[in-house]
Amino acid sequence: MRRTDPEGHGPVRYGPALPGDGLPVLPALADVLAAHTRHAAGEPVGGAPALRDAADGYWTRRGLPAGRDRVAAAPGAPSLLLALTAALGGDVLVPRPCAAWWAPYARLLGRPAFHVATPAECGGVPDSAALLETVRRVRAEGGDPRLLVLSVADDPTATVAPPELVHEAVEAAQGEGLHLISDETWRDTLHGPRGTVLLSPAEMMPDRVTVVTDLAGALLPPGWPAAVARFPDGQAGQALHARVLDVLTALGATVAGPVAAAAAYALDEPEPVAVRRAAAVRLHARVAAAAHAAVVAAGAVARPPQAGRHLYVDLGPLRHALGAHGVGDAQELEDFLTARLGMPAPGGHRFGDDLGALRVRLSTGPLLAGTDEERTECLMSPAPLELPHVQRALISLKSVFDDLRDDAQRWEPPR
């Protein structure tokens, strides 16, 4: 029977969180947090000068200087996206698929969120022709598209958009007068940084792009919510910054003092943070590559992961085998794989994909599960995939997908 009880699976109440790194907290970060636990004073809305200066330094090192007056901090990127959506008004455009937390905030504000197809090469950015057609259609139907949310290093697809495709999408958005929010949470987690070029839309259209970075992507543990936004220069950017601060004030959305201190430390990128980040990226890149090889060998389809701690898998080629297990849509696939794998496997419908498409996002963090000592050993080992607990997790993953491949071969009609 198909699911009749939707508890916990509503479009707003449930959404998969950012994939965690599965690693112990960096001791240097824990020390900073602990040193500030006795400070009772709250952080100001938008962040104290020390945090905003650290964010400015972070972006300056990436060729996107801002200045503290063009920066705002909040307890997680969702707070910033909600505030930006409220401040900008109008209808929202997002790629299909997109990060699970983008569209619900438009719905909470009563704003339509229109999904736009992505190019074959990557996710995260809309196909320029599809974007223009969607804007034309929405306006023809009386809509008011004003905001495009995109991500050049994408959750859920784990791809990095080629610069030429980013150029095309940004130029199309600019021609239609859209404001862009560039979610750059995963920009510091490129699996092959020397061979991958990441172009921020803010480099192309500095007066109409707001950059949002959730520090859970590469700098802080997910349980320490902090994110920063970089606003455009000029009067329009200043006005938007002020409106966002108004919304954050109304929400009471301030970063906790100890977390703000840890965030400022991490954004300064001292050696302990830089070394841990590099080691974590290398580790997750290896695990993601191994997981990708396992699902592709079983007959599923997935783009090679290029960033982040996840991969996006299309099990459409195994539909007949899954049907024998009562799986006919993404929700049923989510339930089936979550139970079989013993780890979250959110369906593609969480990310704006069609319910009927058999797609899931798999994360690499759960494949590192073990004691703190075992997880720390993963960072230090020259061959982390050969560690017993990681090897067991990958064998378990492979066996689930191999079983589906074998089932598909049994169900394949004779020629």
Side-chain angles (χ1 to χ4, degrees):
M1 293 180 61
R2 291 184 178 270
R3 172 188 305 280
T4 57
D5 177 14
E7 184 63 30
H9 295 276
V12 173
R13 286 177 296 150
Y14 172 82
L18 286 175
D21 64 7
L23 299 169
V25 175
L26 177 66
L29 278 176
D31 291 344
V32 173
L33 188 82
H36 288 80
T37 54
R38 295 183 180 276
H39 295 186
E43 284 283 298
V45 172
L51 177 53
R52 289 183 285 126
D53 285 343
D56 174 36
Y58 168 87
W59 277 311
T60 297
R61 291 188 293 275
R62 287 152 180 80
L64 296 170
R68 72 164 63 153
D69 293 336
R70 290 168 53 201
V71 173
S79 301
L80 288 171
L81 183 59
L82 177 63
L84 282 161
T85 306
L88 286 163
D91 300 338
V92 181
L93 301 166
V94 295
R96 183 190 299 276
C98 68
W101 53 275
W102 288 359
Y105 293 94
R107 289 197 292 266
L108 283 173
L109 293 169
R111 308 275 174 75
F114 297 94
H115 288 270
V116 185
T118 54
E121 296 91 333
C122 64
V125 300
D127 175 82
S128 58
L131 175 61
L132 293 173
E133 174 59 24
T134 302
V135 170
R136 183 202 64 76
R137 176 175 54 81
V138 171
R139 286 178 176 155
E141 295 174 355
D144 182 21
R146 297 188 198 175
L147 172 61
L148 170 64
V149 189
L150 48 70
S151 180
V152 291
D154 184 42
D155 173 14
T157 65
T159 57
V160 177
E164 60 272 17
L165 296 183
V166 178
H167 271 285
E168 292 173 4
V170 172
E171 286 176 354
Q174 185 175 28
E176 296 299 329
L178 303 177
H179 189 93
L180 271 64
I181 295 177
S182 178
D183 176 9
E184 299 186 8
T185 294
W186 300 106
R187 70 167 296 153
D188 294 327
T189 65
L190 302 185
H191 296 178
R194 294 184 180 178
T196 306
V197 178
L198 186 147
L199 175 68
S200 171
E203 298 177 55
M204 289 186 57
M205 202 167 70
D207 59 334
R208 296 189 69 85
V209 177
T210 300
V211 179
V212 172
T213 299
D214 196 307
L215 303 192
L219 295 173
L220 289 182
W224 301 7
V228 287
R230 176 193 181 275
F231 290 82
D233 200 3
Q235 292 185 348
Q238 293 172 4
L240 177 60
H241 181 264
R243 292 197 300 274
V244 165
L245 291 182
D246 287 342
V247 177
L248 293 175
T249 299
L251 295 173
T254 59
V255 183
V259 174
Y265 174 79
L267 284 163
D268 282 337
E269 300 177 288
E271 184 178 2
V273 170
V275 170
R276 161 59 78 88
R277 179 179 60 203
V281 170
R282 285 194 302 270
L283 172 62
H284 284 283
R286 291 176 177 178
V287 176
H292 178 262
V295 301
V296 170
V301 177
R303 297 185 184 99
Q306 297 174 290
R309 303 188 284 263
H310 49 277
L311 65 156
Y312 199 58
V313 185
D314 184 348
L315 285 89
L318 302 174
R319 182 176 291 274
H320 289 301
L322 288 163
H325 294 282
V327 174
D329 62 29
Q331 179 60 68
E332 292 165 347
L333 179 62
E334 174 183 306
D335 294 340
F336 174 78
L337 283 182
T338 296
R340 287 292 182 96
L341 296 172
M343 58 184 263
H349 61 303
R350 307 290 182 196
F351 309 100
D353 241 333
D354 293 332
L355 179 64
L358 297 178
R359 300 185 183 122
V360 294
R361 186 191 71 186
L362 301 179
S363 300
T364 53
L367 298 173
L368 304 177
T371 66
D372 281 355
E373 291 75 15
E374 287 175 329
R375 291 181 294 160
T376 300
E377 187 181 8
C378 290
L379 288 169
M380 309 297 293
S381 173
L385 303 187
E386 297 177 10
L387 296 175
H389 72 287
V390 178
Q391 197 172 53
R392 285 194 298 270
L394 288 171
I395 289 173
S396 176
L397 174 78
K398 187 176 186 302
S399 68
V400 169
F401 281 91
D402 283 351
D403 287 346
L404 288 174
R405 178 199 59 202
D406 295 343
D407 289 346
Q409 291 172 349
R410 282 194 292 270
W411 280 91
E412 188 175 285
R415 296 184 180 179

